[in-house]
Amino acid sequence: MKNTFILILILIYGLVPAQTSKGKLFIIGGGDSPDFLIDRMVKEAGLKKGEYVAIFPQASAIPDSSFIYTSEDFEKRILKPLNYYFTKGEKLSKPRLDSLKKAKLIFISGGDQTKFMELINSYPEVKNIIKESYFNGNMIAGTSAGAAVMSEIMITGNQLRHKEYNSTFDNIETNNVETQKGLGFINSAVIDQHFIIRSRYNRLLSLVIDNPKLKGIGIDESTAILVKNGEAEVVGKAQVIVFKNPKQSKSSLKDKLGAKAIVLDIYLNGERFKL
């Protein structure tokens, strides 16, 4: 009887039960990664010596160099990096896809997150393998651009009102932060990276005022959050800053944003917060 009732709700209202993830995310804010950060990632992924790591360097302007640079951290730990670089239109073999399905750790390198998502969206089978890997219990990790793609709402880095690119926004304005759809592993927050060192407060504040139901998570360089079981733990040398807009406050004057009672939390290595 209960199952019949649920089926009726799905048919009438389009309700779909949420898929529960068994996997983990390791989201790095960019910059150099200290050894203890890499060690924690490898340990949490459950990797043993001789096992392989799938690396996606597509976001980088120089993917070969990005793969080599990323590989060094894993080779030092007697792991086997596999290069999953491919270009649009390239046919991927079944053995290559099968190997990706078996990877305990999938790593997305830095660069341009929009470039990565444009490519991965043109390969739905690869995108589905990455998402299924996470939901089946494996780890998805990324740094810089590879961090930005983790959330459902992804920061592109561009401004809508000011066309010149600037890594540090000099304003807090409505409808200015350009976003696109990311991989969607986190739908309760937006991820920003290189956060403190590049003073990206204005960008993230603009987003949490325009999207008050979302947290804004700013991860600094050489620092990561380990996400599992709905909780994030800070791992790294610097800090993670989280903005919240609990009262969903928003006002504006000639496109300038205002808000009251914005909450700002600063987390250090080892500290945790709920997502």
Side-chain angles (χ1 to χ4, degrees):
M1 183 68 181
K2 182 179 178 182
N3 291 340
T4 303
F5 179 69
I6 292 173
L7 179 60
I8 291 171
L9 287 177
I10 292 172
L11 291 173
I12 294 176
Y13 297 106
L15 300 177
V16 179
Q19 189 173 11
T20 303
S21 167
K22 301 176 184 177
K24 302 174 184 178
L25 303 174
F26 202 84
I27 308 175
I28 307 169
D32 294 332
S33 296
D35 281 339
F36 79 90
L37 185 149
I38 299 296
D39 288 339
R40 183 66 184 280
M41 176 171 58
V42 169
K43 179 182 177 181
E44 291 286 345
L47 285 165
K48 299 176 183 176
K49 290 182 179 180
E51 292 186 318
Y52 65 85
V53 179
I55 298 174
F56 284 81
Q58 281 88 342
S60 175
I62 42 175
D64 288 343
S65 296
S66 177
F67 173 74
I68 293 169
Y69 177 79
T70 305
S71 296
E72 291 174 352
D73 282 329
F74 297 115
E75 288 172 343
K76 282 167 55 177
R77 290 155 179 86
I78 323 300
L79 298 169
K80 297 178 180 177
L82 295 183
N83 192 345
Y84 274 84
Y85 176 73
F86 53 85
T87 56
K88 193 170 183 178
E90 182 178 340
K91 185 175 176 58
L92 303 181
S93 67
K94 186 176 182 301
R96 199 174 183 196
L97 293 174
D98 288 343
S99 294
L100 182 60
K101 292 176 183 178
K102 297 173 184 176
K104 291 181 181 178
L105 173 59
I106 296 173
F107 190 93
I108 303 167
S109 66
D112 182 343
Q113 54 264 38
T114 301
K115 177 183 173 184
F116 175 82
M117 287 307 305
E118 285 177 353
L119 178 67
I120 214 70
N121 284 333
S122 68
Y123 282 82
E125 185 174 8
V126 175
K127 185 178 179 181
N128 288 336
I129 290 172
I130 294 172
K131 298 186 85 167
E132 284 299 317
S133 180
Y134 172 63
F135 285 111
N136 289 336
N138 296 315
M139 175 180 280
I140 312 298
T143 185
S144 189
V149 302
M150 297 291 183
S151 49
E152 178 73 20
I153 295 178
M154 179 190 79
I155 291 173
T156 68
N158 297 322
Q159 300 185 72
L160 296 174
R161 295 182 177 276
H162 310 278
K163 295 304 180 182
E164 70 282 0
Y165 176 78
N166 192 333
S167 65
T168 302
F169 287 19
D170 59 5
N171 54 71
I172 303 174
E173 293 182 347
T174 189
N175 299 319
N176 182 42
V177 183
E178 184 183 69
T179 62
Q180 294 180 4
K181 188 172 181 179
L183 290 173
F185 295 124
I186 296 175
N187 55 27
S188 60
V190 176
I191 303 294
D192 206 341
Q193 70 279 12
H194 304 279
F195 193 73
I196 297 172
I197 200 165
R198 297 189 186 177
S199 298
R200 286 178 165 169
Y201 306 93
N202 291 349
R203 182 162 83 176
L204 204 53
L205 278 169
S206 299
L207 266 174
V208 297
I209 297 171
D210 268 340
N211 302 273
K213 293 183 179 180
L214 296 175
K215 294 183 179 71
I217 301 176
I219 308 171
D220 202 22
E221 293 187 358
S222 303
T223 306
I225 56 171
L226 167 65
V227 178
K228 58 180 179 179
N229 302 322
E231 186 177 66
E233 177 188 348
V234 178
V235 182
K237 293 166 62 176
Q239 302 107 311
V240 171
I241 290 181
V242 178
F243 289 123
K244 289 175 282 189
N245 188 359
K247 295 187 178 181
Q248 300 191 25
S249 175
K250 179 180 179 180
S251 58
S252 61
L253 178 64
K254 295 182 179 179
D255 302 325
K256 300 299 183 185
L257 279 169
K260 307 295 187 294
I262 297 291
V263 176
L264 183 157
D265 293 317
I266 304 174
Y267 294 96
L268 299 169
N269 179 59
E271 295 185 327
R272 293 177 169 86
F273 58 91
K274 294 289 185 182
L275 288 176

